[in-house]
Amino acid sequence: MAVPKRSTSKAKTRSRRASSWKLMAPAASLCPTCSSPKRPHYVCPSCGYYKGRQALEVEA
């Protein structure tokens, strides 16, 4: 069985494990009604439309 000549340092181990903790920016799409950026599957915060119909009354 293969055995490493030197033990792996704490920094090497921790940096390898920390690579999966990265934060990702939330996805954004354009609203088909007002063309402002919004999150997918969410009501548009600027116009209040979702799936082509008025879902919220937005104060202008």
Side-chain angles (χ1 to χ4, degrees):
M1 192 168 134
V3 178
K5 286 190 175 183
R6 293 198 174 95
S7 64
T8 309
S9 67
K10 291 176 189 172
K12 182 73 171 174
T13 305
R14 289 174 183 163
S15 69
R16 186 175 63 244
R17 288 181 182 160
S19 67
S20 63
W21 298 348
K22 294 176 186 167
L23 293 177
M24 293 182 356
S29 62
L30 291 178
C31 176
T33 310
C34 65
S35 300
S36 66
K38 70 171 196 76
R39 294 194 56 195
H41 308 286
Y42 277 69
V43 175
C44 180
S46 60
C47 68
Y49 271 75
Y50 181 71
K51 289 191 175 179
R53 63 181 182 87
Q54 186 78 31
L56 288 175
E57 288 292 325
V58 179
E59 301 274 331

